[in-house]
Amino acid sequence: MARDLRGTLHSEAYRERRSSAWSALARWFATAFFGWSCEDVLANLSCAILVLCQYIQHLYGLGFKVTFAVEIVLAVQTRYRAHRGQLCEVWDLIVSWKKKLPLRLRTPLPEGLVLAISRWALARGLGSSNSESCLWKRFGVGLRVGFYALLRPGELCTLTRLCIALPQGCLHLEGSSPRAVLVIIAPKNWRYAGRHQTAYLDDQATISWLAWICEGLSDLSLVFPSLHQMRRMLAVAL
């Protein structure tokens, strides 16, 4: 039986976020515009712009996260497809809101600490033969790969063997250092930068470890532990 293309266009989590955002907007609308039908009013483009601008200002004043406001606008665009590309004034408010947010940078782990944890994990994996031995080895190599290839944790944990091109399978210029190519499928910023992106790994020691961990894996095998496992193992290591 052919799958329902419309029903599988978005993930279940995506649909739940849109549904939750629409419900929040509908509840606010019922209070702010008592007696009016939310669906009927928002079906009109001009009215939708006025209502959304007012609601976004309301969310900003209450200290909500800007990501929630984005979900609201996307929920309206999902329900009224004709509004897509017509809500520039609303998106301008989102841009203005983002510009007012303080810049916050995540503090990266120092390289020395990453390598120390990786060595500890590899030693633990190589020094035992229990059920978690392989996991610790993959975790140790995964830390190095994620650090040197600048991968998000979710991108690292979804890499399959097919997504990794090791130097012996790639062409490179004479005199240049061999590098591994990692293909990231459905990355976090896929809407802006494409569904398939590439990352490069140039650290030669890490490439050697990666080649070792990939030996014997089938094309569709996950190379590294799941995100949940990685977090648990990092907590143990720290």
Side-chain angles (χ1 to χ4, degrees):
M1 180 178 179
R3 72 174 193 172
D4 179 11
L5 294 177
R6 181 176 296 180
T8 56
L9 175 62
H10 301 300
S11 67
E12 183 178 350
Y14 180 95
R15 293 194 297 271
E16 287 180 357
R17 291 199 307 271
R18 296 294 175 272
S19 177
S20 177
W22 175 263
S23 297
L25 173 61
R27 287 193 300 270
W28 171 83
F29 185 93
T31 302
F33 302 96
F34 181 76
W36 291 83
S37 169
C38 180
E39 294 195 4
D40 291 344
V41 170
L42 293 181
N44 180 278
L45 177 61
S46 298
C47 293
I49 292 174
L50 291 174
V51 170
L52 286 173
C53 285
Q54 185 173 338
Y55 186 46
I56 290 173
Q57 188 65 48
H58 171 73
L59 294 176
Y60 176 71
L62 292 180
F64 276 76
K65 292 184 178 181
V66 67
T67 51
F68 182 67
V70 172
E71 291 289 346
I72 294 293
V73 182
L74 292 177
V76 172
Q77 288 187 164
T78 300
R79 187 168 291 251
Y80 304 102
R81 302 302 293 270
H83 290 357
R84 295 190 66 178
Q86 306 296 319
L87 301 175
C88 297
E89 186 176 344
V90 180
W91 286 113
D92 286 345
L93 286 187
I94 300 290
V95 172
S96 178
W97 186 343
K98 288 182 176 179
K99 286 182 178 179
K100 291 177 171 59
L101 295 176
L103 182 62
R104 293 186 298 176
L105 299 177
R106 296 180 180 178
T107 303
L109 287 176
E111 182 179 21
L113 181 56
V114 171
L115 295 178
I117 296 174
S118 174
R119 288 167 186 153
W120 178 86
L122 286 167
R124 178 166 178 168
L126 292 168
S128 62
S129 57
N130 56 30
S131 58
E132 289 198 340
S133 172
C134 183
L135 272 181
W136 280 109
K137 288 183 283 188
R138 291 160 58 198
F139 169 75
V141 176
L143 282 181
R144 297 181 63 117
V145 172
F147 183 83
Y148 288 114
L150 299 177
L151 297 178
R152 297 182 178 89
E155 296 170 347
L156 174 71
C157 295
T158 55
L159 286 176
T160 63
R161 178 62 185 88
L162 189 62
C163 296
I164 299 175
L166 295 168
Q168 54 265 37
C170 300
L171 294 175
H172 57 272
L173 297 175
E174 185 177 355
S176 64
S177 299
R179 62 169 26 173
V181 181
L182 313 176
V183 178
I184 306 167
I185 299 176
K188 185 176 180 179
N189 60 343
W190 68 268
R191 289 182 178 277
Y192 310 102
R195 285 186 176 273
H196 295 83
Q197 300 175 25
T198 55
Y200 301 100
L201 181 61
D202 295 308
D203 183 71
Q204 298 305 303
T206 304
I207 292 175
S208 297
W209 280 110
L210 180 60
W212 173 69
I213 210 73
C214 285
E215 287 181 2
L217 292 180
S218 62
D219 287 348
L220 299 182
S221 296
L222 289 172
V223 179
F224 304 110
S226 68
L227 187 57
H228 173 73
Q229 290 172 323
M230 291 284 283
R231 286 173 174 166
R232 178 179 60 83
M233 298 171 87
L234 181 60
V236 172
L238 293 174

